[in-house]
């Protein structure tokens, strides 16, 4: 196997490749995921009973996360040290794995959610935070009223 070094000093072709292949009309979260960014993608779902935050964070362990609730502000952060693997038999020619810190915050209304019952789990690279709704905020099923 032959390793080829890239010439990082020649940025002009890379600039034009990025310029012409990037969707200029998409200003969603995709713009935050450029090279070197540490902001994870998030899905927000609502069920009848709760709100669910799903955060894509592959390669991490549940011990890397910190979830705090302070005056209605739910903060999810993570920190993982970058590890370089090298020994006497191998030499690292290029290292692109990087694990850095991030923080995502969400504002919750204590009138809508039951803050005392928030729970989280991490499985298959996805952190899931379940935020239960208060009973009075849950949608009641349709009720048939009997006519007398």
């Amino acid at each position: 196997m032959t390793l080829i070094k890239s010439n990082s000093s020649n940025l002009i072709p890379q600039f034009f490749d990025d310029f012409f292949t990037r969707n200029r009309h998409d200003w969603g979260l995709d713009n935050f995921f450029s090279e070197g960014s540490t902001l994870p993608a998030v899905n927000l779902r609502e069920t009848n009973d709760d709100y669910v935050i799903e955060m894509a964070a592959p390669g991490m362990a549940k011990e890397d996360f910190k979830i705090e609730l302070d005056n209605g502000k739910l903060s999810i952060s993570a920190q993982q040290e970058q590890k370089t693997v090298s020994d006497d038999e191998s030499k690292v020619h290029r290292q692109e794995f990087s694990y850095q810190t991030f923080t995502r915050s969400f504002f919750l209304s204590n009138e809508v959610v039951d803050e005392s019952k928030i729970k989280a789990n991490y499985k298959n690279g996805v952190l899931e935070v379940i935020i239960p709704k208060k009973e009075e905020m849950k949608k009641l099923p349709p009720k048939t009223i009997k006519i007398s």
Side-chain angles (χ1 to χ4, degrees), residues 116-128:
S116 66
K117 295 182 180 176
I118 295 174
K119 56 186 175 181
N121 61 61
Y122 180 71
K123 183 178 178 185
N124 297 329
V126 177
L127 176 68
E128 181 180 64

Side-chain angles (χ1 to χ4, degrees), residues 42-109:
V42 171
N43 293 335
L44 300 173
R45 293 186 296 117
E46 179 181 3
T47 68
N48 188 51
D49 297 328
D50 41 45
Y51 297 97
V52 180
I53 299 171
E54 297 170 321
M55 181 176 290
M60 302 191 90
K62 68 180 184 178
E63 296 81 18
D64 296 329
F65 295 100
K66 180 179 177 183
I67 303 174
E68 290 183 324
L69 182 62
D70 184 20
N71 292 322
K73 180 180 175 184
L74 179 74
S75 296
I76 304 170
S77 59
Q79 182 172 356
Q80 189 180 45
E81 293 180 20
Q82 185 170 338
K83 300 170 187 166
T84 302
V85 178
S86 67
D87 53 30
D88 293 338
E89 295 180 22
S90 67
K91 208 174 178 182
V92 177
H93 288 278
R94 181 178 183 139
Q95 181 170 342
E96 293 183 351
F97 290 3
S98 68
Y99 303 99
Q100 299 172 14
T101 62
F102 68 81
T103 299
R104 294 288 307 256
S105 296
F106 305 89
F107 293 91
L108 310 177
S109 169

Side-chain angles (χ1 to χ4, degrees), residues 6-22 24 35 94:
S6 66
N7 184 1
S8 60
S9 64
N10 193 358
L11 297 176
I12 300 299
Q14 180 183 351
F15 170 78
F16 284 112
D17 288 344
D18 289 346
F19 183 80
F20 289 113
T21 60
R22 189 176 302 145
R24 294 284 165 218
E35 187 177 32
R94 181 178 183 139

